[in-house]
Amino acid sequence: QVQLVESGGGLVQAGESLRLSCAASGRTFSTYAMGWFRQAPGKEREFVAAISRGGGSTYYADSVKGRFTISRDNAKNTAYLQMNSLKPEDTAVYYCHVDPRVGATMTGQGAYWGQGTQVTVSS
């Protein structure tokens, strides 16, 4: 139904910014809520942010609230995660996650995952 490809990861210094993109293919992209998860070495995968199908509602983990912004452009079949004021503890592989229900993209029980993109923040 949906294939997801993340991009935009890289190596930055603390305090700098990155924007991740999640490009989706599929005829029903606009019917899916989207979320971002991350997983650091030795840690469990954790929820980062989610956005409803139309983009009208957004949700954030406390650890990124005020620094990260999730958005989507359904006309481009793309979701974004703007990450500002990055900290070393943000270092992780970031995964795009989609499901018809936004709640599922927050619990990690959604239908589809991307392959991930590495974000490394140095101090």
Side-chain angles (χ1 to χ4, degrees):
Q1 291 284 337
V2 177
Q3 294 179 328
L4 306 170
V5 180
E6 300 99 331
S7 62
L11 173 64
V12 298
Q13 295 181 341
E16 296 183 343
S17 299
L18 281 174
R19 188 183 71 165
L20 306 184
S21 297
C22 175
S25 62
R27 293 168 291 180
T28 59
F29 174 78
S30 64
T31 70
Y32 288 95
M34 306 192 70
W36 290 93
F37 277 68
R38 66 187 182 186
Q39 187 167 27
K43 297 183 179 180
E44 62 184 295
R45 190 171 297 188
E46 66 174 342
F47 167 74
V48 176
I51 188 167
S52 60
R53 289 172 291 178
S57 299
T58 57
Y59 307 89
Y60 299 94
D62 288 342
S63 59
V64 306
K65 194 173 300 181
R67 299 188 297 119
F68 290 11
T69 302
I70 188 171
S71 62
R72 66 189 297 161
D73 186 340
N74 287 348
K76 297 180 179 179
N77 290 347
T78 302
Y80 305 95
L81 185 68
Q82 179 67 44
M83 304 184 295
N84 297 330
S85 301
L86 282 163
K87 304 175 180 179
E89 50 262 46
D90 296 319
T91 296
V93 177
Y94 284 71
Y95 298 91
C96 187
H97 187 42
V98 304
D99 192 88
R101 301 162 296 175
V102 68
T105 71
M106 299 174 67
T107 64
Q109 298 299 117
Y112 301 101
W113 292 93
Q115 294 184 344
T117 185
Q118 176 71 47
V119 172
T120 302
V121 184
S122 65
S123 60

